[in-house]
Amino acid sequence: MNAPEMLKAMHELLDEENNVTYEGMEFPEQIDQWILSTCGYCAVGCRLYLGIRNSQIVSVRGDKNSPVNKGRLCLKGRYQWKALTVERATVPMVRRNGEMVKVSWDEALDIVIEKMREVLLNEGPEGLAIYSSGLLPLEEQYAIGKLARGYIGTPNLDANTRLCMSSTVSGFIRSFGQDGPPGCYEDLDIADFLLLFGCNPAEMHPNLWFRIFRNKERRGAYLITVDPRATVTARQSNAHLAILPGSNVAFLKGLTHILIREKWIDEGFIAEHTEGFDKLAESVQECTPEVTSQKTGLSTIEIMDCAKRFAQSAAVTTIFAQGVNQSNQSTEVVNLICNLHLITGKIGKTGSTPLSLTGQVGAMSNREVGGGGSLVGYRRWDNPEHRKEVAQLWNIPVERLPQFSKSILQIFKDIELGKVKLFWNIATNPAVSLPHQEWTRKQLDKVFCIVQDVYYPMETGTYADVFLPAAQWGEKTGTFTNSERRVSLARKALDPPGDAKTDLWIIQEIAKRLGFDDGFNWSGPEAVFEEWKRLSRGCPVNMSGMNYQRLESEQGIQWPCPDLSHPGTSRLYEDGVFPRKSGRALLWAIEEESLDCPEHLRNPESRVKYPFILNTGRIREQFHSRTKTKRIAELNLLSSEGFAEISERDAIKLEIRSGDWVRIITENGWIRVRAKVTSDIAQGSIFVPFHFGDLDPKERHLKQAANHLTSFRVDPISMQPRYKLEYCRVEKDGEW
Ligand SMILES: Nc1nc2c(c(=O)[nH]1)N[C@H]1C(S)=C(S)[C@@H](COP(=O)(O)OP(=O)(O)OC[C@H]3O[C@@H](n4cnc5c(=O)[nH]c(N)nc54)[C@H](O)[C@@H]3O)O[C@H]1N2
Ligand SMILES: Nc1nc2c(c(=O)[nH]1)N[C@H]1C(S)=C(S)[C@@H](COP(=O)(O)OP(=O)(O)OC[C@H]3O[C@@H](n4cnc5c(=O)[nH]c(N)nc54)[C@H](O)[C@@H]3O)O[C@H]1N2
Ligand code: SF4
Ligand SMILES: [Mo]
């Protein structure tokens, strides 16, 4: 859909606001049962019901009463139920003489346990790694964390959330003293000025965009989108600031300079609730609009106007996602965004907040239960009291808890060094989504690989020594926390196909067979949730007052929720007290690395070799490595193969037309895709969606995975890869 069509669709949606349609249902009156769920894709967390007829899933409808989506579902959400009806992985498999052969669960698990025991005996806990996913519900992620850290005692647990939100996590902890988005979705409805910074909600978080756009249309809110590409979000905003990729730090320092110079700041708030202002002011002294303009490619008028609106609008919300998290100096960019809100006192108030858009439906849950980098319940690895609490609650010796946690990059480096021998991959597809595929796939080849997924074939499955078929969303019960800290319930609507088992069952079974019966004999997900609640007590993510019944009858609840009569918490920091020792938020003075400015990055030689800036991201109708969306005809028809966007001017220069085959080449690898000539992208830039894998590595002419091109350049604080900035060249290619 192009931008004008999108606009038309948006208006139709606005008209339909209170008239929600039912999708995929020919005979609504014939539905036997509507079962409560939460959409299983993104962390907007839309509430819906799945329609069951004759024990089959046949339909979906949004929940009109939901404060999140008021009945609306986006394109992905509407068709998601179909992902339950397509061909699935239903039988465990093991590799014998190079071929995957079907076996029973007992046989598969015997091999898993034998290999785990061997690795634990020879290498100790560090020989084993688990890589999981923000697609799983809280309960399953909690169980994985308990097994990995509390029982096996390995530091090698990470999740795909490292690739997604880890810079936001580090940034919030550094600025506020703890993780957690401070605001809520209501802020999107009532802000007067919305700064959309490195995000594309019109396509990636459509039901939030609906609220933002409605605010613009109905209340006259002013929207500025800062993005190198003219996305649908950018085109429908009041202004689009087409920033040079990689220059976020320069832009935000420039805004800070203007706010301080013009005294558009809240001196009372700064004095009472923050520390570090003098250093911050000093650090932006040189960042005049002229300097900022030079570094960002934006005009001084654009920059001044943005600063003025930020300062002079009564309520301001900054929305950000991967254009920040996966950009250069990403943690520090989050700090700079927090700074803007702190020095203007625009935080903890209705309509005013930095609002990070979380990616996957369970990515927030992952942060809460410590499924990635942190210790369960936002506890700290280096706090002996925290370690003791966890050990007591898990009934394990405190020494068994690892001292720290390793990122997926470190884990892969340890595979290369031969230190990690067994890699258990749950609900993520690293053979598409991790950077530097050539190196990544070598490591997958090297290690004993257990792959636990809902579809087969899938790219990472190619490297499996054991494949375990799992139940997916709709086939199991659990909770998910969305981007406004709202915990919602998703109930099981139907049984998994064939022999597929829930991830919780698989984890419990492996734990028990390793001899850890005591810690893992839950009767089901609700029992896990009840146990997790005890670990959350007294923590920032306190869920003690929640239970499944309340989550169902109350439309989800926002943490913290300390007791049964507590309604949940819409906004954090309303009292201006921040969970740091001083009670004040820290204003970070950030030095801009020369890397941030593309001119500095490219030395003359590489500028000739790789003259284009490469940006990777997403498109509306596909989700991640497409294991689900390519199996749904309605979505796959809209876009079924990889492509590279190139500007009209560059296309003329290179004599490339839309539909021509091109090779995109970086220092890490190449792909071959069709060109898409467009005015949405600036001259000198290339955009490639990362959804398209190469399932058959032998079919080299179909090599389309964008991550052949990316490198393991990570943010040094969060260890999140910098997917949004590489340098490439483009060559015209012929038919094969
Ligand atoms: N349809 C669909 N929806 C999804 C997903 C999906 O795969 N498909 N995935 C979900 C997940 S897990 C996530 S994390 C979210 C991601 O949601 P988004 O972050 O909104 O999506 P992206 O396309 O990754 O990146 C957003 C924008 O950042 C811009 N950008 C690149 N470099 C820079 C820069 O230097 N500065 C600035 N300011 N901007 C820059 C890109 O041009 C891009 O338009 O989407 C979620 N929703
Ligand atoms: N170049 C580039 N690379 C990127 C990004 C980018 O913008 N650019 N974005 C990054 C981001 S933000 C993210 S979040 C990652 C996503 O990257 P991945 O996590 O690799 O993407 P998915 O395709 O969602 O993989 C999830 C897998 O889990 C399976 N699955 C789904 N539900 C279940 C379940 O309930 N149980 C089990 N066992 N399996 C299940 C699916 O079939 C699928 O194979 O990609 C990252 N990679
Ligand atoms: S906005 Fe996200 S949560 Fe809502 S229906 Fe779409 S994909 Fe699902
Ligand atoms: Mo993500």
Side-chain angles (χ1 to χ4, degrees):
M1 207 185 278
N2 59 30
E5 282 167 358
M6 191 75 174
L7 193 64
K8 188 165 163 269
M10 198 66 73
H11 280 292
E12 280 166 10
L13 272 176
L14 281 167
D15 295 340
E16 279 178 12
E17 192 185 347
N18 296 311
N19 180 22
V20 177
T21 49
Y22 295 97
E23 293 295 327
M25 186 174 53
E26 288 156 48
F27 308 103
E29 64 287 357
Q30 288 180 16
I31 297 292
D32 301 334
Q33 208 185 352
W34 287 108
I35 295 176
L36 172 72
S37 190
T38 303
C39 177
Y41 283 118
C42 88
V44 172
C46 296
R47 187 159 143 135
L48 51 84
Y49 290 92
L50 292 169
I52 302 294
R53 186 170 56 203
N54 298 333
S55 308
Q56 300 287 318
I57 187 156
V58 290
S59 180
V60 65
R61 71 175 162 90
D63 182 352
K64 279 185 192 177
N65 299 316
S66 163
V68 172
N69 55 313
K70 304 226 167 67
R72 286 180 299 274
L73 295 175
C74 77
L75 195 64
K76 294 190 305 293
R78 285 175 198 186
Y79 290 110
Q80 182 169 209
W81 63 275
K82 295 201 172 180
L84 295 162
T85 63
V86 299
E87 204 184 334
R88 292 274 302 280
T90 56
V91 190
M93 287 182 279
V94 298
R95 191 171 296 280
R96 289 199 182 126
N97 302 323
E99 297 294 317
M100 292 303 274
V101 293
K102 294 181 177 171
V103 294
S104 69
W105 272 102
D106 270 335
E107 279 176 276
L109 291 178
D110 280 349
I111 292 171
V112 167
I113 299 301
E114 192 187 332
K115 191 72 192 173
M116 282 187 176
R117 284 191 191 287
E118 179 196 313
V119 170
L120 289 173
L121 190 73
N122 296 334
E123 318 288 332
E126 299 214 9
L128 188 150
I130 305 180
Y131 183 45
S132 87
S133 168
L135 277 182
L136 299 176
L138 178 143
E139 293 75 1
E140 296 184 338
Q141 301 197 47
Y142 171 81
I144 292 170
K146 186 176 182 185
L147 175 61
R149 287 176 177 148
Y151 282 75
I152 296 174
T154 180
N156 301 327
L157 170 66
D158 204 6
N160 58 6
T161 48
R162 175 77 59 187
L163 320 175
C164 184
M165 298 306 296
S166 54
S167 300
T168 293
V169 174
S170 318
F172 281 165
I173 294 173
R174 278 162 44 109
S175 288
F176 304 138
Q178 85 177 29
D179 181 20
C184 60
Y185 295 163
E186 200 194 30
D187 297 327
L188 304 173
D189 304 329
I190 52 184
D192 302 301
F193 171 53
L194 293 109
L195 179 58
L196 294 127
F197 195 81
C199 59
N200 181 13
E203 298 179 84
M204 301 314 144
H205 298 90
N207 283 342
L208 289 187
W209 175 247
F210 181 88
R211 296 174 72 153
I212 296 166
F213 191 76
R214 182 180 54 186
N215 186 0
K216 173 177 178 266
E217 296 288 287
R218 297 238 173 115
R219 288 186 62 256
Y222 198 87
L223 314 186
I224 293 184
T225 292
V226 183
D227 192 310
R229 295 162 58 221
T231 58
V232 175
T233 305
R235 287 180 188 276
Q236 293 188 12
S237 295
N238 301 80
H240 170 210
L241 273 51
I243 192 172
L244 269 176
S247 62
N248 287 339
V249 172
F251 177 73
L252 293 167
K253 284 183 78 167
L255 288 192
T256 314
H257 172 97
I258 299 166
L259 294 177
I260 295 175
R261 186 184 75 185
E262 302 295 328
K263 296 212 170 1
W264 289 339
I265 53 178
D266 184 336
E267 283 170 0
F269 191 90
I270 294 172
E272 270 178 62
H273 302 298
T274 71
E275 55 194 39
F277 180 75
D278 291 343
K279 263 194 175 169
L280 171 66
E282 203 185 308
S283 72
V284 296
Q285 242 167 17
E286 314 288 316
C287 308
T288 60
E290 292 71 29
V291 170
T292 310
S293 163
Q294 222 180 5
K295 292 181 174 179
T296 58
L298 303 170
S299 72
T300 53
I301 295 170
E302 285 173 315
I303 298 162
M304 280 298 293
D305 179 61
C306 186
K308 192 167 179 182
R309 288 184 189 277
F310 197 103
Q312 297 183 354
S313 306
V316 177
T317 291
T318 305
I319 306 153
F320 62 97
Q322 300 312 352
V324 168
N325 289 317
Q326 298 171 344
S327 73
N328 205 32
Q329 286 182 263
S330 47
T331 298
E332 292 178 323
V333 174
V334 174
N335 292 134
L336 287 167
I337 291 172
C338 295
N339 283 352
L340 289 181
H341 283 268
L342 289 164
I343 62 173
T344 52
K346 289 183 168 34
I347 186 161
K349 296 172 184 148
T350 43
S352 282
T353 186
L355 190 84
S356 50
L357 297 180
T358 319
Q360 306 166 96
V361 58
M364 278 284 293
S365 313
N366 180 271
R367 286 146 77 168
E368 292 150 13
V369 302
S374 57
L375 185 57
V376 59
Y378 284 10
R379 290 180 178 85
R380 293 181 61 110
W381 291 103
D382 57 1
N383 182 325
E385 284 307 310
H386 285 179
R387 300 173 67 85
K388 219 159 56 191
E389 270 169 27
V390 174
Q392 257 164 14
L393 286 157
W394 279 351
N395 201 17
I396 53 151
V398 70
E399 310 77 60
R400 202 191 290 154
L401 281 176
Q403 294 301 323
F404 57 92
S405 160
K406 282 196 209 151
S407 73
I408 188 61
L409 169 61
Q410 291 164 311
I411 291 172
F412 268 62
K413 282 194 169 151
D414 283 347
I415 296 176
E416 188 177 38
L417 293 173
K419 290 187 191 165
V420 168
K421 303 278 189 200
L422 184 146
F423 182 72
W424 181 6
N425 184 84
I426 310 172
T428 175
N429 199 356
V432 178
S433 56
L434 279 184
H436 204 336
Q437 279 294 310
E438 192 188 335
W439 182 77
T440 292
R441 292 181 194 182
K442 265 189 207 146
Q443 311 322 317
L444 286 170
D445 241 343
K446 191 169 175 186
V447 73
F448 185 87
C449 198
I450 302 163
V451 177
Q452 188 167 314
D453 207 279
V454 299
Y455 297 105
Y456 192 90
M458 44 83 71
E459 289 79 358
T460 307
T462 317
Y463 299 87
D465 294 288
V466 178
F467 183 91
L468 305 175
Q472 68 162 310
W473 168 88
E475 298 160 352
K476 56 189 179 186
T477 295
T479 57
F480 297 103
T481 309
N482 74 1
S483 301
E484 59 166 358
R485 290 171 284 101
R486 186 183 299 273
V487 184
S488 297
L489 189 62
R491 286 202 184 277
K492 174 179 168 173
L494 71 170
D495 288 328
D499 258 354
K501 304 282 188 196
T502 66
D503 292 287
L504 183 61
W505 182 92
I506 303 171
I507 296 151
Q508 283 181 280
E509 206 53 34
I510 290 180
K512 285 180 195 164
R513 286 169 191 238
L514 283 171
F516 305 139
D517 303 48
D518 282 357
F520 296 86
N521 49 15
W522 303 293
S523 54
E526 193 163 2
V528 183
F529 189 77
E530 289 301 312
E531 179 180 311
W532 145 251
K533 273 165 55 180
R534 288 201 289 281
L535 275 102
S536 80
R537 187 165 296 141
C539 294
V541 291
N542 198 341
M543 295 188 196
S544 313
M546 301 182 191
N547 54 42
Y548 276 14
Q549 223 182 342
R550 274 195 78 184
L551 294 180
E552 177 146 10
S553 62
E554 293 179 35
Q555 297 284 346
I557 301 173
Q558 288 166 282
W559 63 253
C561 172
D563 58 67
L564 280 172
S565 58
H566 195 285
T569 309
S570 299
R571 289 178 189 82
L572 305 179
Y573 316 133
E574 280 180 312
D575 54 4
V577 178
F578 294 89
R580 297 181 67 251
K581 258 194 201 131
S582 60
R584 293 157 180 269
L586 184 57
L587 297 168
W588 282 84
I590 304 298
E591 282 308 313
E592 185 186 343
E593 288 169 15
S594 56
L595 256 186
D596 199 43
C597 191
E599 283 79 31
H600 294 289
L601 178 59
R602 289 181 283 159
N603 63 40
E605 201 182 312
S606 71
R607 200 180 300 198
V608 174
K609 208 164 167 197
Y610 302 112
F612 286 90
I613 295 175
L614 174 73
N615 173 5
T616 66
R618 313 169 145 69
I619 55 175
R620 192 180 54 118
E621 49 276 359
Q622 296 295 352
F623 188 78
H624 294 175
S625 67
R626 300 195 309 142
T627 53
K628 271 184 179 179
T629 44
K630 75 177 168 193
R631 289 175 167 92
I632 299 171
E634 288 84 348
L635 299 182
N636 206 40
L637 273 174
L638 294 171
S639 144
S640 56
E641 61 172 13
F643 59 87
E645 286 185 0
I646 182 166
S647 76
E648 284 158 346
R649 281 192 175 193
D650 289 323
I652 291 170
K653 251 196 280 174
L654 296 172
E655 297 182 3
I656 289 169
R657 279 175 307 187
S658 274
D660 284 352
W661 285 106
V662 289
R663 265 177 199 247
I664 312 294
I665 304 163
T666 66
E667 57 183 8
N668 308 300
W670 59 269
I671 58 170
R672 183 174 174 273
V673 287
R674 287 188 194 276
K676 192 168 173 183
V677 180
T678 170
S679 58
D680 293 351
I681 191 163
Q683 199 181 353
S685 284
I686 298 291
F687 172 77
V688 180
F690 85 101
H691 305 294
F692 302 89
D694 14 63
L695 199 48
D696 186 350
K698 279 174 236 141
E699 300 275 1
R700 284 171 67 77
H701 63 290
L702 290 178
K703 206 166 146 181
Q704 297 201 322
N707 280 319
H708 284 297
L709 307 173
T710 53
S711 65
F712 255 119
R713 287 201 183 90
V714 293
D715 177 71
I717 304 168
S718 66
M719 304 301 279
Q720 176 160 359
R722 202 187 66 184
Y723 289 115
K724 301 272 186 268
L725 186 61
E726 288 291 340
Y727 293 88
C728 68
R729 73 170 179 274
V730 181
E731 285 176 6
K732 210 170 156 176
D733 202 353
E735 294 295 330
W736 275 47

